[in-house]
Amino acid sequence: MSYAFPPAPVIAIPAMSSNPFPVRHIYCVGRNYATHAREMGSDPEREAPFFFMKSAQAILPNQSVMPYPPATADLQPEVELVVALQTGGRNIAEDRADDRIFGYAVGLDMTRRDLQKVAKEHGRPWDMSKSFDGAAPISAITPEFYTGIINRGKIELKVNGEVRQSADLGDMIWRVPQIISALSRLVELHPGDLIFTGTPAGVGPVVSGDQIEATVAGLEPLLITIG
Ligand code: MN
């Protein structure tokens, strides 16, 4: 089959002891740690976490320099555990969700916070604040075969060596199986889908030259420099 112009190449992430992981969709959970929900002015007791998306084109490999993006003066990284799916489905039961997991990675949900504030104030979509070039830096994926199910462990973000965010994955409001199950009741999930599972408290701006180190216990650290 030929096309009007060459189709875009598959976007893939390195995976430990495996062929690269081809990315299909990127889903993200909002307000999944009570501490972060409060710092953003929400009441986590009353509000269920919700989903938004990033384009797969936003993937940025580990150890990249991320050019400071246009149209913002308030770029903020959010460290998140990323779940990578090897099989999909609809209406997945929580106790069958783990079967879908290929592995885990460390991701940064890069956010143009000033654009997000305007979107929130006017009830507009978040896309331009969350999905832009380089907005999804991600480490290599570690297969679940090596990690087992990850539901505890330290998650941390350092900027220029200084700790900004530090929490435990056990602090998540929705656990990974609940997230997969809930999302699969909204959309059909597919092999290659990534789910960013939310960030703890401590978010703040980064500027050109900053070195970001994002870590989750047991996974490859994610190192990004802001250009
Ligand atoms: Mn986030």
Side-chain angles (χ1 to χ4, degrees):
M1 173 126 183
S2 54
Y3 299 94
F5 49 85
V10 171
I11 292 166
I13 304 168
M16 198 172 97
S17 304
S18 163
N19 288 326
F21 179 92
V23 179
R24 188 144 175 188
H25 303 102
I26 305 177
Y27 297 99
C28 306
V29 184
R31 295 177 199 140
N32 199 25
Y33 291 77
T35 51
H36 175 63
R38 285 193 201 96
E39 80 176 344
M40 298 306 287
S42 301
D43 180 352
E45 309 301 325
R46 287 189 325 187
E47 198 170 352
F50 57 91
F51 298 97
F52 60 92
M53 293 184 74
K54 288 177 188 275
S55 166
Q57 306 287 327
I59 292 284
L60 191 69
N62 201 353
Q63 307 206 359
S64 293
V65 174
M66 177 188 180
Y68 195 94
T72 185
D74 192 6
L75 177 68
Q76 299 194 2
E78 301 181 350
V79 60
E80 311 204 357
L81 171 71
V82 180
V83 180
L85 302 188
Q86 64 185 351
T87 53
R90 292 189 173 100
N91 302 317
I92 299 167
E94 279 179 30
D95 62 2
R96 303 301 309 276
D98 284 328
D99 304 344
R100 267 65 180 192
I101 299 174
F102 173 81
Y104 300 93
V106 184
L108 287 170
D109 170 12
M110 299 301 296
T111 303
R112 294 195 279 210
R113 193 72 72 198
D114 39 6
L115 297 193
Q116 188 193 30
K117 277 180 191 151
V118 171
K120 283 182 180 175
E121 283 164 14
H122 296 274
R124 291 179 189 157
W126 285 14
D127 304 47
M128 292 301 110
S129 63
K130 290 290 195 179
S131 184
F132 50 91
D133 296 332
I138 189 165
S139 70
I141 296 172
T142 304
E144 194 184 40
F145 176 81
Y146 295 101
T147 61
I149 294 163
I150 295 188
N151 52 21
R152 301 216 164 268
K154 192 186 229 186
I155 178 169
E156 196 164 76
L157 179 85
K158 288 182 188 168
V159 178
N160 303 324
E162 194 174 302
V163 177
R164 289 232 185 135
Q165 295 182 272
S166 185
D168 194 280
L169 297 172
D171 297 337
M172 286 197 282
I173 296 170
W174 282 18
R175 318 307 295 267
V176 168
Q178 295 176 305
I179 292 168
I180 292 170
S181 178
L183 188 54
S184 76
R185 292 168 205 284
L186 292 167
V187 290
E188 181 178 0
L189 295 176
H190 294 89
D193 287 352
L194 298 175
I195 307 172
F196 282 59
T197 58
T199 201
V203 297
V206 289
V207 297
S208 291
D210 279 352
Q211 310 232 2
I212 302 172
E213 182 181 355
T215 52
V216 170
L219 302 181
E220 181 185 82
L222 175 61
L223 306 167
I224 295 291
T225 302
I226 304 299

